[in-house]
Amino acid sequence: MIACVIDLGLGNISCVTSSVKRALVDERFSFLCVASPNELSHIPSHIILPGVGTFSEGMQRLNSTGWSDYIARNCIDSPRCSLLGICLGMQMLASIGYEGSRTLTGIPGMDIIGGSVEHLSTISTECSIRIPHIGWNDVVFTSSGSLLFEGISNSTDFYFMHSYAVASVNPSYILARCDQSTGSFICAVNRDKCFGVQFHPEKSQSAGSRMMRNFLELC
Amino acid sequence: MSKLESAVRVLEAQEPDEISILFRSSKGNYGYASVLQQISTLSETLTTPLSVGGFSSLQGCPVTALFNAGADKLIVNSLLYSDPSRIRTIASEHGAQSISAAVDLELVNNRLMARAETLEFGIRFLEINDWIQLAINVGVGELQLTSVDYDGSLVTEQYLEKTLPQFVSTGLPIVYGGGCYSVDTFFKAFSLGVSGVSAGSFFLKKDQNLSELKAHLYNKQLPVRPS
């Protein structure tokens, strides 16, 4: 089995790679961190897509390196590997994003989970979260039994650092929300073998480490 | 293991919400190669958010490399005045949440002012609201305030009550630090609406325990993350 971290040059790569390596307890696993799918000689069993930055920059790099096509072929069309998008990586699973876009029509995403990427202030006008949303917050499961959160209690805190989030996603894809008393936003999604989390598991101490291990144990 | 790494491990074991490191050198600016190496080493095992700062200049500093090495936030103070366009560029490229602007507040003729110090202009004092607007205009995502006069000492409630609301009203995340002498200071700051409280000497020199602090705050019905 191969765990592959995609390096788009969008920050935070060393923490994510360290987190994945620590979670690889199975000796059958090998680890790769690559910038382009051309560097892969085999299809990985698990792909981790981290990202910190703007949606437009992220999609531009994902498209120009060939990763968006690779992920579509191997994670959606004929799913042979599991995908975990982290923060911007999760946002790029959406159909369209408006961060860093100069046009009202927005920037197309990978269109895996549908929906759009919007500023937090427009998602929940009553939300009491200060923006940027920086810090620890409750992750409330909307469906029970997701293997991604096995062994993790409902409403466990994870670390967030963002100003945008996905919205209008097919409800059947929503795994968890970050709930405030006056509003909430989607913070975890899943469609088939594709997962996305808005928070940073690599910075969420024991809960994040457990979640990463759960993802790598998915077949 | 270096002293820095040792101190970070001790703190991380107590599960803080974030660790901040200010790299300062008595000779002026810290060597960035050394900073990157230390951050990289820490990031191999660190699972806690990390903020770094203390740089008097970003000239020759590969900021992207800082984030790639494992820093989540860059804390800027004098850079806000000496290199605002650079700060604006960083916030634009890496997101507002990547920059935290720190201000030292000092009593001048009995009025709290924002202290601005650069090699070029020396020391100047700004009205607090003017400093806040400067920070917002360059696009930072978080504000931190410390007190030159009360750093490490008992902080008067009058000071907190006067100052913190100005920052909290911006709608940005606010971190209060530099003056946390007792548990009550933490409680007062949170009661006035800050998002976080930063402390160093309180934990490292006074041998206070984060778990006990959180228990105290929890008992006062503040929503703290359990250790």
Side-chain angles (χ1 to χ4, degrees):
Chain A
M1 287 191 284
I2 302 171
C4 172
V5 174
I6 296 176
D7 182 4
L8 292 177
L10 291 173
N12 203 19
I13 196 70
S14 80
C15 292
V16 173
T17 56
S18 296
S19 175
V20 172
K21 285 180 183 177
R22 281 195 301 273
L24 292 177
V25 294
D26 193 324
E27 289 176 351
R28 292 172 297 166
F29 259 109
S30 58
F31 172 82
L32 295 171
C33 179
V34 297
S36 163
N38 295 332
E39 298 175 56
L40 297 172
S41 54
H42 296 88
I43 298 173
S45 56
H46 298 74
I47 295 177
I48 297 95
L49 174 61
V52 177
T54 63
F55 187 86
S56 59
E57 184 67 26
M59 283 311 304
Q60 190 274 323
R61 296 190 188 200
L62 211 60
N63 292 332
S64 64
T65 54
W67 277 115
S68 47
D69 288 338
Y70 187 91
I71 288 169
R73 281 199 311 274
N74 295 292
C75 300
I76 296 293
D77 299 340
S78 304
R80 281 172 281 188
C81 59
S82 299
L83 171 72
L84 174 66
I86 298 173
C87 194
L88 178 61
M90 167 177 163
Q91 293 173 6
M92 290 192 284
L93 304 181
S95 296
I96 194 164
Y98 294 99
E99 181 184 10
S101 166
R102 297 180 183 179
T103 68
L104 290 175
T105 50
I107 304 289
M110 286 195 281
D111 196 24
I112 293 176
I113 58 170
S116 58
V117 178
E118 311 270 359
H119 194 263
L120 281 170
S121 62
T122 60
I123 289 174
S124 180
T125 55
E126 297 173 349
C127 194
S128 62
I129 294 176
R130 287 178 174 262
I131 301 168
H133 179 214
I134 303 173
W136 297 77
N137 222 326
D138 294 355
V139 170
V140 180
F141 306 148
T142 55
S143 61
S144 60
S146 173
L147 292 174
L148 189 69
F149 294 114
E150 187 173 289
I152 299 171
S153 302
N154 199 5
S155 298
T156 293
D157 286 339
F158 285 81
Y159 185 73
F160 291 82
M161 200 172 166
H162 62 118
S163 299
Y164 289 76
V166 299
S168 307
V169 169
N170 184 324
S172 66
Y173 296 156
I174 301 174
L175 277 187
R177 304 185 74 93
C178 179
D179 261 344
Q180 300 294 294
S181 57
T182 54
S184 70
F185 62 89
I186 300 164
C187 68
V189 294
N190 168 225
R191 176 190 166 188
D192 299 328
K193 294 173 82 83
C194 293
F195 295 82
V197 293
Q198 183 60 65
F199 48 82
H200 290 270
E202 75 280 8
K203 294 288 182 174
S204 296
Q205 297 172 346
S206 56
S209 299
R210 178 60 193 260
M211 197 220 79
M212 188 65 78
R213 200 159 64 244
N214 289 344
F215 171 71
L216 293 170
E217 287 176 357
L218 295 172
C219 293
Chain B
M1 186 183 293
S2 68
K3 284 184 182 177
L4 172 63
E5 202 176 335
S6 174
V8 169
R9 301 275 171 252
V10 166
L11 289 172
E12 198 190 18
Q14 299 175 53
E15 295 193 332
D17 296 330
E18 185 175 309
I19 292 177
S20 293
I21 302 176
L22 298 180
F23 290 92
R24 288 177 178 160
S25 167
S26 58
K27 296 178 184 176
N29 219 16
Y30 223 98
Y32 289 116
S34 171
V35 168
L36 283 175
Q37 181 57 53
Q38 291 185 75
I39 294 174
S40 294
T41 302
L42 289 171
S43 294
E44 287 173 8
T45 54
L46 197 64
T47 59
T48 299
L50 177 66
S51 300
V52 299
F55 310 118
S56 59
S57 167
L58 286 178
Q59 194 172 10
C61 172
V63 174
T64 300
L66 280 177
F67 294 128
N68 284 342
D72 298 293
K73 269 189 285 181
L74 178 65
I75 302 171
V76 297
N77 188 323
S78 59
L79 288 167
L80 205 60
Y81 324 106
S82 62
D83 206 353
S85 59
R86 180 82 189 274
I87 304 302
R88 188 179 286 113
T89 301
I90 295 169
S92 170
E93 289 178 355
H94 298 276
Q97 62 272 14
S98 67
I99 300 278
S100 182
V103 63
D104 294 322
L105 300 180
E106 186 170 336
L107 277 172
V108 179
N109 297 327
N110 243 7
R111 284 176 63 218
L112 274 171
M113 304 283 285
R115 177 190 170 110
E117 184 173 357
T118 64
L119 289 173
E120 188 178 5
F121 297 114
I123 298 173
R124 293 183 301 172
F125 293 97
L126 279 70
E127 294 289 342
I128 290 176
N129 280 330
D130 289 341
W131 181 89
I132 290 174
Q133 205 52 53
L134 171 65
I136 291 174
N137 286 345
V138 299
V140 305
E142 181 181 272
L143 304 179
Q144 295 194 25
L145 60 154
T146 64
S147 167
V148 172
D149 300 285
Y150 296 105
D151 190 16
S153 67
L154 187 63
V155 180
T156 64
E157 292 199 355
Q158 185 183 16
Y159 155 69
L160 284 176
E161 286 173 359
K162 268 187 188 176
T163 318
L164 287 179
Q166 288 178 275
F167 289 84
V168 171
S169 66
T170 62
L172 289 175
I174 306 298
V175 176
Y176 169 72
C180 292
Y181 186 81
S182 70
V183 173
D184 282 340
T185 312
F186 287 83
F187 175 71
K188 186 68 179 183
F190 282 120
S191 301
L192 289 169
V194 302
S195 307
V197 176
S198 173
S201 300
F202 184 82
F203 296 112
L204 292 173
K205 291 186 178 176
K206 292 170 68 69
D207 201 26
Q208 292 288 327
N209 184 284
L210 182 58
S211 297
E212 288 179 8
L213 168 67
K214 286 192 173 185
H216 281 300
L217 295 176
Y218 182 79
N219 287 338
K220 289 177 181 282
Q221 300 184 329
L222 284 178
V224 292
R225 188 173 65 94
S227 287

